[in-house]
mmCIF file of all heavy atoms in Angstrom:
data_model
loop_
_atom_site.group_PDB
_atom_site.id
_atom_site.type_symbol
_atom_site.label_atom_id
_atom_site.label_comp_id
_atom_site.label_asym_id
_atom_site.label_seq_id
_atom_site.Cartn_x
_atom_site.Cartn_y
_atom_site.Cartn_z
ATOM 1 N N ARG F 1 9.310 5.730 6.705
ATOM 2 C CA ARG F 1 10.721 5.938 6.341
ATOM 3 C C ARG F 1 10.864 6.116 4.837
ATOM 4 O O ARG F 1 11.593 7.013 4.374
ATOM 5 C CB ARG F 1 11.554 4.743 6.806
ATOM 6 C CG ARG F 1 13.023 4.807 6.416
ATOM 7 C CD ARG F 1 13.794 3.643 7.014
ATOM 8 N NE ARG F 1 15.185 3.628 6.562
ATOM 9 C CZ ARG F 1 15.621 2.980 5.487
ATOM 10 N NH1 ARG F 1 14.745 2.276 4.754
ATOM 11 N NH2 ARG F 1 16.883 3.017 5.146
ATOM 12 N N ALA F 2 10.180 5.293 4.047
ATOM 13 C CA ALA F 2 10.252 5.417 2.587
ATOM 14 C C ALA F 2 9.710 6.764 2.128
ATOM 15 O O ALA F 2 10.264 7.396 1.221
ATOM 16 C CB ALA F 2 9.478 4.272 1.924
ATOM 17 N N LEU F 3 8.625 7.219 2.747
ATOM 18 C CA LEU F 3 8.055 8.518 2.407
ATOM 19 C C LEU F 3 9.048 9.634 2.708
ATOM 20 O O LEU F 3 9.247 10.549 1.889
ATOM 21 C CB LEU F 3 6.759 8.731 3.195
ATOM 22 C CG LEU F 3 6.108 10.111 3.085
ATOM 23 C CD1 LEU F 3 5.685 10.405 1.646
ATOM 24 C CD2 LEU F 3 4.904 10.208 4.028
ATOM 25 N N LYS F 4 9.682 9.564 3.856
ATOM 26 C CA LYS F 4 10.663 10.587 4.235
ATOM 27 C C LYS F 4 11.828 10.617 3.250
ATOM 28 O O LYS F 4 12.272 11.699 2.813
ATOM 29 C CB LYS F 4 11.173 10.305 5.651
ATOM 30 C CG LYS F 4 12.168 11.333 6.164
ATOM 31 C CD LYS F 4 12.585 10.996 7.593
ATOM 32 C CE LYS F 4 13.604 12.016 8.109
ATOM 33 N NZ LYS F 4 14.013 11.701 9.510
ATOM 34 N N GLN F 5 12.325 9.439 2.878
ATOM 35 C CA GLN F 5 13.453 9.372 1.942
ATOM 36 C C GLN F 5 13.047 9.843 0.549
ATOM 37 O O GLN F 5 13.820 10.517 -0.138
ATOM 38 C CB GLN F 5 13.995 7.938 1.892
ATOM 39 C CG GLN F 5 14.613 7.461 3.195
ATOM 40 C CD GLN F 5 15.868 8.225 3.569
ATOM 41 O OE1 GLN F 5 16.522 8.821 2.723
ATOM 42 N NE2 GLN F 5 16.202 8.229 4.849
ATOM 43 N N ARG F 6 11.830 9.486 0.116
ATOM 44 C CA ARG F 6 11.375 9.938 -1.201
ATOM 45 C C ARG F 6 11.239 11.457 -1.223
ATOM 46 O O ARG F 6 11.611 12.106 -2.201
ATOM 47 C CB ARG F 6 10.044 9.280 -1.579
ATOM 48 C CG ARG F 6 9.611 9.595 -3.009
ATOM 49 C CD ARG F 6 8.325 8.883 -3.407
ATOM 50 N NE ARG F 6 8.128 8.986 -4.845
ATOM 51 C CZ ARG F 6 7.514 10.017 -5.442
ATOM 52 N NH1 ARG F 6 7.047 11.018 -4.702
ATOM 53 N NH2 ARG F 6 7.378 10.048 -6.751
ATOM 54 N N ASN F 7 10.696 12.030 -0.156
ATOM 55 C CA ASN F 7 10.565 13.485 -0.092
ATOM 56 C C ASN F 7 11.932 14.164 -0.105
ATOM 57 O O ASN F 7 12.106 15.220 -0.719
ATOM 58 C CB ASN F 7 9.783 13.893 1.152
ATOM 59 C CG ASN F 7 8.305 13.606 1.029
ATOM 60 O OD1 ASN F 7 7.791 13.376 -0.065
ATOM 61 N ND2 ASN F 7 7.595 13.600 2.148
ATOM 62 N N ALA F 8 12.914 13.554 0.575
ATOM 63 C CA ALA F 8 14.270 14.109 0.556
ATOM 64 C C ALA F 8 14.846 14.081 -0.864
ATOM 65 O O ALA F 8 15.505 15.032 -1.299
ATOM 66 C CB ALA F 8 15.164 13.326 1.516
ATOM 67 N N ALA F 9 14.572 12.990 -1.586
ATOM 68 C CA ALA F 9 15.047 12.893 -2.974
ATOM 69 C C ALA F 9 14.375 13.937 -3.858
ATOM 70 O O ALA F 9 15.010 14.522 -4.744
ATOM 71 C CB ALA F 9 14.790 11.490 -3.509
ATOM 72 N N LEU F 10 13.085 14.188 -3.628
ATOM 73 C CA LEU F 10 12.379 15.222 -4.397
ATOM 74 C C LEU F 10 12.983 16.594 -4.150
ATOM 75 O O LEU F 10 13.162 17.386 -5.088
ATOM 76 C CB LEU F 10 10.893 15.224 -4.022
ATOM 77 C CG LEU F 10 10.065 14.045 -4.511
ATOM 78 C CD1 LEU F 10 8.702 14.029 -3.825
ATOM 79 C CD2 LEU F 10 9.889 14.081 -6.038
ATOM 80 N N LYS F 11 13.300 16.876 -2.910
ATOM 81 C CA LYS F 11 13.906 18.176 -2.587
ATOM 82 C C LYS F 11 15.296 18.318 -3.203
ATOM 83 O O LYS F 11 15.768 19.440 -3.446
ATOM 84 C CB LYS F 11 13.984 18.351 -1.063
ATOM 85 C CG LYS F 11 12.633 18.555 -0.402
ATOM 86 C CD LYS F 11 12.787 18.741 1.097
ATOM 87 C CE LYS F 11 11.470 19.093 1.769
ATOM 88 N NZ LYS F 11 10.482 18.006 1.708
ATOM 89 N N ALA F 12 15.938 17.165 -3.464
ATOM 90 C CA ALA F 12 17.266 17.175 -4.090
ATOM 91 C C ALA F 12 17.182 17.134 -5.612
ATOM 92 O O ALA F 12 18.196 16.893 -6.280
ATOM 93 C CB ALA F 12 18.084 15.996 -3.577
ATOM 94 N N GLY F 13 15.980 17.322 -6.159
ATOM 95 C CA GLY F 13 15.809 17.359 -7.602
ATOM 96 C C GLY F 13 15.459 16.028 -8.224
ATOM 97 O O GLY F 13 15.475 15.892 -9.454
ATOM 98 N N GLY F 14 15.183 15.031 -7.408
ATOM 99 C CA GLY F 14 14.765 13.734 -7.923
ATOM 100 C C GLY F 14 15.869 12.709 -8.033
ATOM 101 O O GLY F 14 15.609 11.557 -8.413
ATOM 102 N N ASP F 15 17.111 13.089 -7.701
ATOM 103 C CA ASP F 15 18.227 12.137 -7.793
ATOM 104 C C ASP F 15 18.033 10.980 -6.813
ATOM 105 O O ASP F 15 17.732 11.186 -5.634
ATOM 106 C CB ASP F 15 19.553 12.847 -7.475
ATOM 107 C CG ASP F 15 19.938 13.850 -8.561
ATOM 108 O OD1 ASP F 15 19.412 13.722 -9.678
ATOM 109 O OD2 ASP F 15 20.744 14.748 -8.271
ATOM 110 N N GLY F 16 18.219 9.760 -7.324
ATOM 111 C CA GLY F 16 18.150 8.575 -6.474
ATOM 112 C C GLY F 16 16.760 8.225 -5.988
ATOM 113 O O GLY F 16 16.613 7.521 -4.980
ATOM 114 N N ILE F 17 15.732 8.657 -6.722
ATOM 115 C CA ILE F 17 14.370 8.450 -6.231
ATOM 116 C C ILE F 17 13.801 7.074 -6.573
ATOM 117 O O ILE F 17 12.890 6.595 -5.881
ATOM 118 C CB ILE F 17 13.438 9.558 -6.776
ATOM 119 C CG1 ILE F 17 12.199 9.688 -5.881
ATOM 120 C CG2 ILE F 17 13.028 9.293 -8.227
ATOM 121 C CD1 ILE F 17 11.348 10.891 -6.208
ATOM 122 N N GLU F 18 14.313 6.416 -7.610
ATOM 123 C CA GLU F 18 13.701 5.180 -8.086
ATOM 124 C C GLU F 18 13.596 4.081 -7.028
ATOM 125 O O GLU F 18 12.528 3.457 -6.888
ATOM 126 C CB GLU F 18 14.447 4.674 -9.326
ATOM 127 C CG GLU F 18 14.162 5.471 -10.591
ATOM 128 C CD GLU F 18 12.673 5.513 -10.930
ATOM 129 O OE1 GLU F 18 11.992 4.488 -10.719
ATOM 130 O OE2 GLU F 18 12.200 6.549 -11.395
ATOM 131 N N PRO F 19 14.662 3.788 -6.291
ATOM 132 C CA PRO F 19 14.512 2.731 -5.268
ATOM 133 C C PRO F 19 13.440 3.056 -4.234
ATOM 134 O O PRO F 19 12.732 2.161 -3.761
ATOM 135 C CB PRO F 19 15.903 2.654 -4.628
ATOM 136 C CG PRO F 19 16.826 3.254 -5.634
ATOM 137 C CD PRO F 19 16.037 4.298 -6.335
ATOM 138 N N TRP F 20 13.310 4.343 -3.912
ATOM 139 C CA TRP F 20 12.304 4.737 -2.918
ATOM 140 C C TRP F 20 10.900 4.679 -3.501
ATOM 141 O O TRP F 20 9.935 4.432 -2.770
ATOM 142 C CB TRP F 20 12.618 6.119 -2.371
ATOM 143 C CG TRP F 20 13.908 6.140 -1.607
ATOM 144 C CD1 TRP F 20 15.057 6.796 -1.927
ATOM 145 C CD2 TRP F 20 14.191 5.399 -0.415
ATOM 146 N NE1 TRP F 20 16.035 6.526 -1.010
ATOM 147 C CE2 TRP F 20 15.529 5.683 -0.063
ATOM 148 C CE3 TRP F 20 13.454 4.533 0.383
ATOM 149 C CZ2 TRP F 20 16.139 5.126 1.055
ATOM 150 C CZ3 TRP F 20 14.052 3.972 1.503
ATOM 151 C CH2 TRP F 20 15.376 4.267 1.834
ATOM 152 N N ASN F 21 10.784 4.877 -4.817
ATOM 153 C CA ASN F 21 9.470 4.718 -5.453
ATOM 154 C C ASN F 21 8.955 3.291 -5.267
ATOM 155 O O ASN F 21 7.799 3.071 -4.901
ATOM 156 C CB ASN F 21 9.555 5.022 -6.958
ATOM 157 C CG ASN F 21 9.632 6.507 -7.244
ATOM 158 O OD1 ASN F 21 9.336 7.323 -6.375
ATOM 159 N ND2 ASN F 21 10.033 6.853 -8.453
ATOM 160 N N ALA F 22 9.819 2.325 -5.533
ATOM 161 C CA ALA F 22 9.410 0.918 -5.436
ATOM 162 C C ALA F 22 9.043 0.559 -4.002
ATOM 163 O O ALA F 22 8.027 -0.116 -3.757
ATOM 164 C CB ALA F 22 10.548 0.019 -5.936
ATOM 165 N N GLU F 23 9.847 1.012 -3.033
ATOM 166 C CA GLU F 23 9.554 0.692 -1.636
ATOM 167 C C GLU F 23 8.295 1.414 -1.173
ATOM 168 O O GLU F 23 7.480 0.859 -0.426
ATOM 169 C CB GLU F 23 10.746 1.065 -0.748
ATOM 170 C CG GLU F 23 10.582 0.570 0.673
ATOM 171 C CD GLU F 23 11.903 0.431 1.400
ATOM 172 O OE1 GLU F 23 12.963 0.546 0.752
ATOM 173 O OE2 GLU F 23 11.872 0.185 2.620
ATOM 174 N N PHE F 24 8.135 2.662 -1.622
ATOM 175 C CA PHE F 24 6.949 3.442 -1.273
ATOM 176 C C PHE F 24 5.684 2.721 -1.739
ATOM 177 O O PHE F 24 4.711 2.610 -0.983
ATOM 178 C CB PHE F 24 7.038 4.824 -1.919
ATOM 179 C CG PHE F 24 5.849 5.709 -1.665
ATOM 180 C CD1 PHE F 24 5.833 6.606 -0.612
ATOM 181 C CD2 PHE F 24 4.728 5.664 -2.499
ATOM 182 C CE1 PHE F 24 4.738 7.426 -0.382
ATOM 183 C CE2 PHE F 24 3.625 6.470 -2.271
ATOM 184 C CZ PHE F 24 3.639 7.355 -1.205
ATOM 185 N N VAL F 25 5.676 2.214 -2.964
ATOM 186 C CA VAL F 25 4.497 1.537 -3.508
ATOM 187 C C VAL F 25 4.233 0.236 -2.756
ATOM 188 O O VAL F 25 3.095 -0.047 -2.360
ATOM 189 C CB VAL F 25 4.663 1.280 -5.018
ATOM 190 C CG1 VAL F 25 3.549 0.362 -5.535
ATOM 191 C CG2 VAL F 25 4.653 2.607 -5.778
ATOM 192 N N ASP F 26 5.260 -0.553 -2.553
ATOM 193 C CA ASP F 26 5.084 -1.844 -1.877
ATOM 194 C C ASP F 26 4.530 -1.651 -0.467
ATOM 195 O O ASP F 26 3.515 -2.269 -0.086
ATOM 196 C CB ASP F 26 6.426 -2.575 -1.819
ATOM 197 C CG ASP F 26 6.332 -3.875 -1.032
ATOM 198 O OD1 ASP F 26 5.428 -4.677 -1.326
ATOM 199 O OD2 ASP F 26 7.155 -4.082 -0.121
ATOM 200 N N LEU F 27 5.155 -0.793 0.304
ATOM 201 C CA LEU F 27 4.726 -0.589 1.688
ATOM 202 C C LEU F 27 3.424 0.196 1.765
ATOM 203 O O LEU F 27 2.596 -0.043 2.650
ATOM 204 C CB LEU F 27 5.832 0.123 2.461
ATOM 205 C CG LEU F 27 7.120 -0.686 2.617
ATOM 206 C CD1 LEU F 27 8.256 0.188 3.127
ATOM 207 C CD2 LEU F 27 6.902 -1.869 3.545
ATOM 208 N N GLY F 28 3.249 1.125 0.826
ATOM 209 C CA GLY F 28 2.010 1.892 0.798
ATOM 210 C C GLY F 28 0.802 1.005 0.580
ATOM 211 O O GLY F 28 -0.255 1.203 1.200
ATOM 212 N N LEU F 29 0.939 0.009 -0.281
ATOM 213 C CA LEU F 29 -0.168 -0.921 -0.521
ATOM 214 C C LEU F 29 -0.442 -1.782 0.710
ATOM 215 O O LEU F 29 -1.595 -2.102 1.006
ATOM 216 C CB LEU F 29 0.147 -1.801 -1.731
ATOM 217 C CG LEU F 29 0.099 -1.089 -3.089
ATOM 218 C CD1 LEU F 29 0.556 -2.021 -4.204
ATOM 219 C CD2 LEU F 29 -1.301 -0.560 -3.385
ATOM 220 N N ARG F 30 0.588 -2.146 1.438
ATOM 221 C CA ARG F 30 0.383 -2.919 2.662
ATOM 222 C C ARG F 30 -0.398 -2.100 3.695
ATOM 223 O O ARG F 30 -1.313 -2.619 4.355
ATOM 224 C CB ARG F 30 1.720 -3.357 3.245
ATOM 225 C CG ARG F 30 2.512 -4.308 2.368
ATOM 226 C CD ARG F 30 3.750 -4.809 3.101
ATOM 227 N NE ARG F 30 4.711 -5.420 2.199
ATOM 228 C CZ ARG F 30 5.837 -6.007 2.581
ATOM 229 N NH1 ARG F 30 6.125 -6.039 3.883
ATOM 230 N NH2 ARG F 30 6.653 -6.536 1.701
ATOM 231 N N VAL F 31 -0.003 -0.851 3.867
ATOM 232 C CA VAL F 31 -0.707 0.026 4.807
ATOM 233 C C VAL F 31 -2.154 0.204 4.363
ATOM 234 O O VAL F 31 -3.089 0.107 5.170
ATOM 235 C CB VAL F 31 0.009 1.393 4.916
ATOM 236 C CG1 VAL F 31 -0.847 2.399 5.675
ATOM 237 C CG2 VAL F 31 1.362 1.229 5.600
ATOM 238 N N ASP F 32 -2.345 0.445 3.081
ATOM 239 C CA ASP F 32 -3.689 0.652 2.547
ATOM 240 C C ASP F 32 -4.562 -0.594 2.737
ATOM 241 O O ASP F 32 -5.727 -0.491 3.139
ATOM 242 C CB ASP F 32 -3.597 1.002 1.060
ATOM 243 C CG ASP F 32 -4.956 1.222 0.421
ATOM 244 O OD1 ASP F 32 -5.606 2.225 0.738
ATOM 245 O OD2 ASP F 32 -5.372 0.357 -0.383
ATOM 246 N N GLN F 33 -4.012 -1.761 2.469
ATOM 247 C CA GLN F 33 -4.779 -3.000 2.616
ATOM 248 C C GLN F 33 -5.166 -3.256 4.064
ATOM 249 O O GLN F 33 -6.275 -3.720 4.352
ATOM 250 C CB GLN F 33 -3.975 -4.165 2.048
ATOM 251 C CG GLN F 33 -3.886 -4.154 0.527
ATOM 252 C CD GLN F 33 -2.794 -5.057 -0.017
ATOM 253 O OE1 GLN F 33 -2.124 -5.770 0.749
ATOM 254 N NE2 GLN F 33 -2.583 -5.026 -1.323
ATOM 255 N N ALA F 34 -4.261 -2.936 4.998
ATOM 256 C CA ALA F 34 -4.575 -3.118 6.420
ATOM 257 C C ALA F 34 -5.695 -2.173 6.848
ATOM 258 O O ALA F 34 -6.596 -2.570 7.598
ATOM 259 C CB ALA F 34 -3.327 -2.876 7.264
ATOM 260 N N ARG F 35 -5.644 -0.943 6.372
ATOM 261 C CA ARG F 35 -6.703 0.015 6.708
ATOM 262 C C ARG F 35 -8.040 -0.426 6.135
ATOM 263 O O ARG F 35 -9.071 -0.346 6.814
ATOM 264 C CB ARG F 35 -6.335 1.405 6.176
ATOM 265 C CG ARG F 35 -5.227 2.100 6.951
ATOM 266 C CD ARG F 35 -4.814 3.380 6.262
ATOM 267 N NE ARG F 35 -3.860 4.147 7.034
ATOM 268 C CZ ARG F 35 -3.188 5.201 6.566
ATOM 269 N NH1 ARG F 35 -3.381 5.583 5.298
ATOM 270 N NH2 ARG F 35 -2.352 5.853 7.328
ATOM 271 N N ARG F 36 -8.027 -0.867 4.895
ATOM 272 C CA ARG F 36 -9.278 -1.338 4.282
ATOM 273 C C ARG F 36 -9.836 -2.537 5.046
ATOM 274 O O ARG F 36 -11.052 -2.637 5.257
ATOM 275 C CB ARG F 36 -9.030 -1.727 2.818
ATOM 276 C CG ARG F 36 -8.774 -0.544 1.893
ATOM 277 C CD ARG F 36 -8.524 -1.022 0.475
ATOM 278 N NE ARG F 36 -8.198 0.081 -0.416
ATOM 279 C CZ ARG F 36 -9.109 0.844 -1.030
ATOM 280 N NH1 ARG F 36 -10.403 0.587 -0.844
ATOM 281 N NH2 ARG F 36 -8.733 1.830 -1.814
ATOM 282 N N ALA F 37 -8.960 -3.438 5.458
ATOM 283 C CA ALA F 37 -9.406 -4.639 6.159
ATOM 284 C C ALA F 37 -10.053 -4.287 7.492
ATOM 285 O O ALA F 37 -11.111 -4.812 7.841
ATOM 286 C CB ALA F 37 -8.224 -5.589 6.371
ATOM 287 N N VAL F 38 -9.431 -3.375 8.245
ATOM 288 C CA VAL F 38 -9.980 -3.044 9.564
ATOM 289 C C VAL F 38 -11.258 -2.220 9.425
ATOM 290 O O VAL F 38 -12.190 -2.364 10.227
ATOM 291 C CB VAL F 38 -8.926 -2.327 10.426
ATOM 292 C CG1 VAL F 38 -8.757 -0.858 10.034
ATOM 293 C CG2 VAL F 38 -9.283 -2.431 11.910
ATOM 294 N N LEU F 39 -11.343 -1.389 8.389
ATOM 295 C CA LEU F 39 -12.571 -0.627 8.177
ATOM 296 C C LEU F 39 -13.714 -1.549 7.766
ATOM 297 O O LEU F 39 -14.864 -1.357 8.186
ATOM 298 C CB LEU F 39 -12.356 0.466 7.136
ATOM 299 C CG LEU F 39 -13.528 1.441 6.943
ATOM 300 C CD1 LEU F 39 -13.860 2.152 8.257
ATOM 301 C CD2 LEU F 39 -13.217 2.464 5.861
ATOM 302 N N GLU F 40 -13.397 -2.569 6.980
ATOM 303 C CA GLU F 40 -14.427 -3.536 6.584
ATOM 304 C C GLU F 40 -14.970 -4.271 7.810
ATOM 305 O O GLU F 40 -16.171 -4.527 7.922
ATOM 306 C CB GLU F 40 -13.856 -4.527 5.577
ATOM 307 C CG GLU F 40 -14.888 -5.506 5.044
ATOM 308 C CD GLU F 40 -14.337 -6.436 3.981
ATOM 309 O OE1 GLU F 40 -13.186 -6.239 3.556
ATOM 310 O OE2 GLU F 40 -15.057 -7.372 3.582
ATOM 311 N N ILE F 41 -14.071 -4.603 8.741
ATOM 312 C CA ILE F 41 -14.498 -5.243 9.983
ATOM 313 C C ILE F 41 -15.365 -4.302 10.807
ATOM 314 O O ILE F 41 -16.349 -4.707 11.433
ATOM 315 C CB ILE F 41 -13.269 -5.679 10.801
ATOM 316 C CG1 ILE F 41 -12.505 -6.787 10.070
ATOM 317 C CG2 ILE F 41 -13.673 -6.144 12.199
ATOM 318 C CD1 ILE F 41 -11.150 -7.090 10.678
ATOM 319 N N CYS F 42 -15.018 -3.026 10.788
ATOM 320 C CA CYS F 42 -15.621 -2.043 11.682
ATOM 321 C C CYS F 42 -16.898 -1.405 11.143
ATOM 322 O O CYS F 42 -17.696 -0.862 11.911
ATOM 323 C CB CYS F 42 -14.589 -0.945 11.972
ATOM 324 S SG CYS F 42 -15.033 0.219 13.270
ATOM 325 N N VAL F 43 -17.102 -1.454 9.830
ATOM 326 C CA VAL F 43 -18.121 -0.601 9.228
ATOM 327 C C VAL F 43 -19.531 -0.895 9.735
ATOM 328 O O VAL F 43 -20.332 0.035 9.926
ATOM 329 C CB VAL F 43 -18.049 -0.676 7.682
ATOM 330 C CG1 VAL F 43 -18.524 -2.032 7.165
ATOM 331 C CG2 VAL F 43 -18.835 0.464 7.056
#
């Protein structure tokens, strides 16, 4: 959802993008950490 909203803000010229940047980073790191954790288990 954050990615979709950030992309919409980019298409609108960047207006209102800051809140989505923060959410994108926070949630993106959670997704990344989960992937790294499961790959470490699986490798």
